[in-house]
Amino acid sequence: EDQVTQSPEALRLQEGESSSLNCSYTVSGLRGLFWYRQDPGKGPEFLFTLYSAGEEKEKERLKATLTKKESFLHITAPKPEDSATYLCAVQPPFQGAQKLVFGQGTRLTINP
Amino acid sequence: EAGVTQSPTHLIKTRGQQATLRCSPISGHTSVYWYQQALGLGLQFLLWYDEGEERNRGNFPPRFSGRQFPNYSSELNVNALELEDSALYLCASSFPETQYFGPGTRLLVL
């Protein structure tokens, strides 16, 4: 069964303190790995898609990387507005199986 | 460009009633997905519609159903509501692979 595990469940950082969030997955083949940001009571906001090991994507203070079994979301010099839950999801390989399998998320809090 | 829209934003029902949730995809997107996010749980895949057809279904009972209209908007129906159906219901649309989510409908079953 396809599974996605995110760690840590929650992370508190001081403003400017860089860190990384982890997403490990077990899926037989991978069509894509997605990162989303979700604010309380709102829908997930798309951040990145990664397709192959070694791929990296950047957006402002965020950088996502992908290996064969896990992905990291690196946050550099975060600001309080980066506080949110970050969700990782994988898309299984079978044609027609367009569903995303989500992890439980990492709740990130940046203190000023 | 307008994003995915959902209505209503909040819905309160009592156990045994039926709920209807609506979703309009981003213009040009033909696929619509429904997910359930219950408190403390991750997003669980419910249904996928494409070109008016149901293409895939998650592990949910048959009382969760839906349809997609010719304009690609979609409706999710939940019959015989149970207390554990209380959740945030999220709709997403995609073209071609990346799914973009709406703001959700918060369903409360009393």
Side-chain angles (χ1 to χ4, degrees):
Chain A
E1 184 182 331
D2 303 321
Q3 275 196 317
V4 179
T5 303
Q6 292 188 245
S7 62
E9 287 186 16
L11 181 62
R12 283 186 176 272
L13 300 171
Q14 290 298 121
E15 185 173 358
E17 181 184 359
S18 302
S19 188
S20 296
L21 312 182
N22 177 262
C23 169
S24 62
Y25 58 90
T26 54
V27 62
S28 53
L30 181 73
R31 288 175 60 192
L33 184 140
F34 301 80
W35 282 98
Y36 290 87
R37 168 197 169 123
Q38 186 175 27
D39 292 304
K42 297 189 177 181
E45 174 190 344
F46 170 71
L47 293 174
F48 304 108
T49 308
L50 302 166
Y51 291 105
S52 55
E55 190 175 358
E56 297 183 353
K57 294 270 181 75
E58 282 190 69
K59 179 181 179 180
E60 295 181 356
R61 296 176 291 282
L62 300 176
K63 183 168 86 171
T65 61
L66 181 64
T67 70
K68 286 187 177 179
K69 288 297 179 188
E70 58 189 351
S71 177
F72 292 93
L73 184 65
H74 307 278
I75 302 178
T76 303
K79 298 181 178 181
E81 53 262 41
D82 294 322
S83 297
T85 295
Y86 289 84
L87 300 170
C88 170
V90 298
Q91 190 169 46
F94 300 108
Q95 187 174 9
Q98 295 279 25
K99 69 176 184 180
L100 293 178
V101 178
F102 279 85
Q104 294 290 88
T106 293
R107 191 172 64 253
L108 177 66
T109 304
I110 309 298
N111 296 315
Chain B
E1 181 184 279
V4 176
T5 60
Q6 292 186 245
S7 63
T9 55
H10 293 82
L11 192 56
I12 300 176
K13 295 284 185 179
T14 56
R15 211 170 61 179
Q17 286 188 314
Q18 179 196 34
T20 298
L21 289 65
R22 296 179 177 83
C23 171
S24 291
I26 293 171
S27 177
H29 291 191
T30 61
S31 278
V32 170
Y33 311 80
W34 288 95
Y35 291 84
Q36 181 196 66
Q37 188 174 34
L39 195 63
L41 299 178
L43 275 82
Q44 302 293 319
F45 169 74
L46 265 167
L47 291 159
W48 168 37
Y49 291 96
D50 183 59
E51 297 286 356
E53 301 278 337
E54 182 181 303
R55 303 292 185 181
N56 198 6
R57 183 181 184 86
N59 295 325
F60 282 85
R63 57 190 187 82
F64 287 84
S65 65
R67 54 181 171 165
Q68 186 178 32
F69 300 98
N71 66 353
Y72 303 115
S73 67
S74 177
E75 204 171 79
L76 174 69
N77 295 293
V78 188
N79 294 319
L81 284 165
E82 300 178 2
L83 297 178
E84 52 265 34
D85 295 334
S86 295
L88 181 67
Y89 288 84
L90 292 159
C91 172
S93 69
S94 73
F95 181 80
E97 297 280 341
T98 300
Q99 295 183 22
Y100 298 89
F101 285 83
T105 292
R106 174 75 62 186
L107 173 63
L108 178 61
V109 182
L110 302 175

